[in-house]
Amino acid sequence: MGNQAPILYDHLHSRKKTLMPAADLALVIGRIALAGKLIAGELARASIVGGLGFSGNSNVHGEEQKKLDDWTNEVFLKLFENCDPVCSLISEEMEIPKHYERNCHSRDHASYAVLVDPLDGSSNTDTNGSMGSIFSIRKRAPRHSSELKDLLGPGSQQVAAGYVLYGPATQLIYTSGTGVDMFTFDPLMAEFVLWKENLKMPPRGPYYSCNQGNLTKWNPGAQNLVRHLTSRKNKNTSYSMRYCGAFVADFHRCLIDGGIYFYPGEIGADGKSKGKLRLLYECAPLGMVAEQAGGRASNGKGRILEVVAKDIHDREPVYIGSATEVAMAEEFRAEG
Ligand code: FDP
């Protein structure tokens, strides 16, 4: 064994000047890492233990849930039961948040809410495609009740955010306000090991990523953006398209190689444009990671981290990735 890179646990405990105290950060991210290990293991064996397919239930968004959506949600629910900094869990898969009363009352100092998409990109479960778990951590207001108003503020109030990516390797990426750090799960050690510290996203990139099959449902500005990206007039308009169908996996490519991911609003029968991705536990956390890596995240009109939610399950159009391409989306007035 040569020089060993730090493992996640040691790295978290040594953090200084983060937006939450290192001890709390280590406890909460430690639980997320444990969830990531369990989920990666289950994804690897789901096809041979009857874990694939639909559960027969729908989530709050009216989407049919996969068995693995339920299973991964249960993992987060259970793991935070005995994690006293975490007083509330909000999940894409639960209409109503889970409040851990005991955790809420066991602390005089800070308690936190964790907001998760337990299995992002779950339409990929049965085809062995990449998926992820997205998390956002917010500090609860002092003397908060079980009401959620204090969690609807702009994403700039997040104290940490990130994701676990389940691809050929399982990786954990997080920020707590001092840059973006990346860890790869080493199955031999059963630990996440530091891979890249303070990663910076390229200021521009070669890829765009969207579900172009929906083009005719978008605002003219978003359609014009795609025309520009595919016009091949010169090297600044010669992009390649990549789309995994999992926000985490498509964002991860932008983070490393540069480029833009977007999921525009779709114009409905009422003539109004509506986003698909969820603001609090998809757009805001990846928005924080993007900004901390020197990239940008926008709703097509402005910074996504300034958007205030009306409800915990709000959706928003999103344009995220390298600063150059996100600015381009805004110049094209992608959302009008
Ligand atoms: P999924 O519904 O499979 O969970 O979060 C929603 C999401 O996936 C994103 O991960 C993904 O980028 C997008 O939806 C895919 O939507 P389309 O199938 O409409 O392209």
Side-chain angles (χ1 to χ4, degrees), residues 129-188:
S130 293
M131 285 168 271
S133 300
I134 308 179
F135 62 91
S136 161
I137 305 173
R138 288 176 181 244
K139 195 167 165 185
R140 300 238 45 192
R143 289 178 297 282
H144 62 271
S145 62
S146 56
E147 273 190 34
L148 298 165
K149 264 193 230 131
D150 59 315
L151 300 177
L152 300 179
S156 52
Q157 291 177 357
Q158 296 170 108
V159 291
Y163 56 91
V164 182
L165 170 66
Y166 312 107
T170 298
Q171 295 188 316
L172 187 149
I173 284 76
Y174 89 98
T175 179
S176 183
T178 53
V180 174
D181 299 324
M182 292 186 152
F183 296 80
T184 298
F185 181 64
D186 179 344
L188 296 181

Side-chain angles (χ1 to χ4, degrees), residues 218-234:
W218 300 342
N219 268 300
Q223 298 191 25
N224 288 336
L225 171 66
V226 170
R227 279 187 201 108
H228 178 77
L229 293 169
T230 55
S231 59
R232 301 212 175 272
K233 285 188 209 132
N234 51 44

Side-chain angles (χ1 to χ4, degrees), residues 63 66 69 92-93 117 119-124 131 134 210-212 214 243-250 261-263 266 276-278 282:
E63 297 159 345
K66 293 283 188 69
D69 283 320
E92 177 182 358
E93 305 306 332
D117 178 354
L119 193 61
D120 173 64
S122 59
S123 56
N124 286 349
M131 285 168 271
I134 308 179
C210 64
N211 183 343
Q212 208 162 323
N214 290 329
Y243 192 65
C244 300
F247 186 23
V248 163
D250 285 311
Y261 168 94
F262 47 101
Y263 208 108
E266 293 182 2
K276 173 180 178 186
L277 300 196
R278 278 43 67 131
E282 293 186 314

